[in-house]
Amino acid sequence: MNLTDRVVVITGGAGGIGSALARRFAAEGAAAVVLADLDAEATAAVAQTVGPVARAVAVDAADEGQVRDLVADTERRYGRIDLFCANAGVATGVGIEAPDADWDRAWRVNVLAHVYAARAVLPGMLARGGGHLMHTCSAAGVLTAVGDAPYTATKHAAVGLAEWLAITYRDQGLRVSALCPQGVDTPMLADGLATGHLAARVIAASGPVLTPDQVADAVVAGLAEERFLILPHPEVAGYAVRRA
Ligand code: NAD
C-alpha cells in the first residue's frame, strides 16, 4: 500500500507512535487521517501538528460501541477506510502477581480493542474488496520477557490475533500486519520505566531505543512491501525469523 489519497484511522493517535504515524501518513499524501484517542485535548493538539487532513475524535478503543461509531462516522464522511491502525496500548502491572485489574485493563486495551477494530472495520473493507488493518503489537509480542507479564502475554495474543486475521482474510483482498517495535522513546516508555511496569533491564537488552519517527519509517516501508510482521529493528527481525 502507498499512502497517497488514503483514508486512515489511528487509535492511540495522540501518543508518541500514533502521532508520528499520523504526521508521516499526512506527509505521504493521505487524504484523511483520523486520530482517535481517549485523551481529547492531546488528540486535538496532535491534529494541529498533522495539518488540514487530520480529524481528532475522542474514542475509547476498548469500548466496542465507540469503535463502531468511529468507523461508521469515518466511512460516512470520507466514503471508506483504507488503513485502520489499531495502535492504542497500555503497559500495566509487573509480574505474575499484578492485580487482576491490571490484567483486565491490559487484556481490554491490548487485545479486545483489536478484536473490536477488526469487527467494526472488516465488513466495509470486505464489501469494498480491500483494505489494510495494522495492529501495533510489540517486540514483546514476538520475544519473551521484553515487557512485563501482562504486557508480554497480551502482546503475544495480539500478534496471534493479527496472524489469524491475515491468514483468514488474505484471499479476500484484506491485508493485515503486526507492528512489533522494541523500546520506543514515547510517554509509555518513560512512564513504564518510572512506575516499573516496563523493566529497564529488558528494554536495554532488546537493543537501542528507537524514535517514533524511526518506527514511522519502518511502517511506511512495511506497508509498501505488504509485510505481515513489521519489525523496525534487525535484532528483533532476526529472532522472529529464527522462531518462524
Ligand atoms: P503512548 O503512551 O505515547 O501512547 C498511547 C496512546 O494510547 C495514548 O495517547 C493514550 O491516551 C492512548 N490510549 C490508551 N488507552 C486507550 C484506549 N482505551 N482508547 C483510546 N486510546 C487509548 O505510547 P506509545 O509508545 O505511542 O504506544 C503506542 C502503541 O505502541 C501501544 O500499543 C504500545 O503498546 C506499542 N508499543 C510501544 C513501545 C514503546 O516502547 N513505546 C514499544 C512497542 C510497542
Side-chain angles (χ1 to χ4, degrees), residues 10-13 36-37 61-62 85-90 109-110 113-114 136 155 188:
I10 307 173
T11 68
D37 198 289
C85 302
N87 171 74
V90 289
V109 183
N110 295 348
H114 292 253
T136 303
K155 291 295 186 178
M188 174 184 283

Side-chain angles (χ1 to χ4, degrees), residues 1-10 25 29-34 74-75 77-85 125 128 132:
M1 168 181 277
N2 80 45
L3 276 305
T4 310
D5 290 333
R6 300 298 188 177
V7 175
V8 184
V9 178
I10 307 173
F25 293 162
V33 181
V34 178
T74 305
E75 289 178 335
R77 281 171 188 274
Y78 305 107
R80 65 193 194 280
I81 296 173
D82 298 303
L83 169 64
F84 190 105
C85 302
M125 287 184 175
R128 292 186 295 273
H132 196 123

Side-chain angles (χ1 to χ4, degrees), residues 15-17 37 59-61 87 136-137 151 155 181-182 184 186-188:
I17 292 174
D37 198 289
V59 172
D60 181 351
N87 171 74
T136 303
C137 302
Y151 193 74
K155 291 295 186 178
Q182 62 189 96
V184 187
T186 69
M188 174 184 283

